Amino acid sequence: MALSVASTGQAADTTGSVASLRWFVFALFFIFGGITSLNDVLIPKLKELFTLSYHEAMLVQSAFFAAYFIVSLPAAMIVQRMGYMRTASIGLLTMMAGCLLFVPASGAGQFGLFLGALFVLGAGITIVQVVANPLISMLGAPRTAHSRLTFAQAFNSLGTTIFPPVGSILILGSLATVDPSTLSGGALAAFRAEETRTIVHTYLGLAAALLVIAGVVWMGRNRLREHQAQDNILQAFGLLKRPRFAFGTLGIFLYVGAEVAIGSLIVNYLVQSDVMGLGAEDAGKHLIFYWGGALVGRFIGAALMRFIAPARMLMAVTFGAILLILISANTTGIVSGWSLLAIGLMNAIMFPTIFSLASEGLGERAAEGSGIICMAIVGGAIVPLLTGKAADVTSLRFALIVPAVCYALIAAFAYYCRRNPTELGLAEPGDALPPVEA
């Protein structure tokens, strides 16, 4: 998802230039979607190497998603000052720096340094997303902006579908054969450094690719003429006085938190002997079904919402997610595993639907509202922590109650929107464009 900044712009040269810039933005969505989903592969690897509890392992997501809350508004200010293309270069280079920080983290064998690297990586992705949503909106005719955003979402989902199985092969394919709890001192540090080399090699490859892309973006920094409105972004917080918008912002917080929490636990969940009893690498490859379900579900949801009201559709998928959680938590074997993976299909339309319902009626303040909602993605830092704590105290199965409660509250938001349609009269249809999800 991206923070929109009030601006106008156009390509500096031909229609072909606009098309090439558009494909560049689609590529950005693919890249940051894929890198974000790699966290689900990192968690079981780091949990094993540093003998972490589930609560501690979820700090991986907390460090990463905390960047959304901290960096979103500063990134918007950078866009106002430097423009989209230059800011995109800054974001890509920040992502590259985060990838490179995995090298000293591995050498020191310190979990805290890995968290620092993930925060820097998350900060870079936040900056890039702040650029991507409004940029894709203006690269073409306004009447087709919605279709471009939807198309960009598909690229984001494609990244989250492809990266985890590849990451599982590279990172989880060599899980340790020695129990780290039996080592100490220098031997433990050396063991961790050796076992995290697969992580380092993976992220060094990403760093090299990001450097090339940042260079291409910088060379094209003058291809877009733009005028940035120098508004006071902090005034956007006043929108939280509107009940519908405030409830929807909470909905985004809960949705991202629930989606990330479930994705983070899938590998550890599927390796359990009473679920599917898979090896870690094979379990990681199954993430393609969770994230791929979201990709397929977007197309199905887009078709269904031609005939079904968005609020009604949102209620249906949240109840579907809750039902799948209950089935998974109360069954064993492949039924338990596949019902958890199928939640990805329910997640598909939640983000854009929650956003559009929350933003209806904002009119010219839709861009400000997008900024606040971007900060609400910090739910990915908090809800997984709560889920991990519940898993430590009880079990992985019982811990699923945390995302289930999140979905129940999202269903309450959908019900509120159905019962309060009069709030929609504050703006003409189409005033608020949906953002693109992370």
Side-chain angles (χ1 to χ4, degrees), residues 2-5 7-11 18 20-26 28-29 79 83-89 128-141 145 148-149 152 217 220 223-226 228 433 436:
L3 169 63
S4 296
V5 181
S7 65
T8 59
Q10 62 183 41
V18 173
S20 62
L21 285 172
R22 194 181 300 155
W23 281 102
F24 149 71
V25 180
F26 292 152
L28 288 184
F29 280 110
V79 172
Y84 288 106
M85 301 299 285
R86 289 173 173 80
T87 304
S89 296
V128 172
Q129 291 192 65
V130 163
V131 170
N133 184 39
L135 185 55
I136 196 63
S137 296
M138 73 169 146
L139 290 176
R148 289 195 302 276
L149 287 167
V217 176
R223 293 173 63 188
L224 190 71
R225 288 194 295 265
E226 50 188 296
Q228 301 292 337
L433 290 174
V436 178

Side-chain angles (χ1 to χ4, degrees), residues 324-340:
L324 288 169
I325 286 176
L326 291 175
I327 292 173
S328 184
N330 292 281
T331 58
T332 58
I334 61 173
V335 173
S336 179
W338 283 105
S339 56
L340 190 70

Side-chain angles (χ1 to χ4, degrees), residues 65 194 235:
F65 283 94
E194 177 65 27
Q235 67 184 2

Side-chain angles (χ1 to χ4, degrees), residues 150-174:
T150 302
F151 195 53
Q153 277 191 333
F155 275 88
N156 185 270
S157 293
L158 184 63
T160 61
T161 302
I162 292 175
F163 274 56
V166 175
S168 296
I169 296 171
L170 296 174
I171 296 174
L172 296 181
S174 60

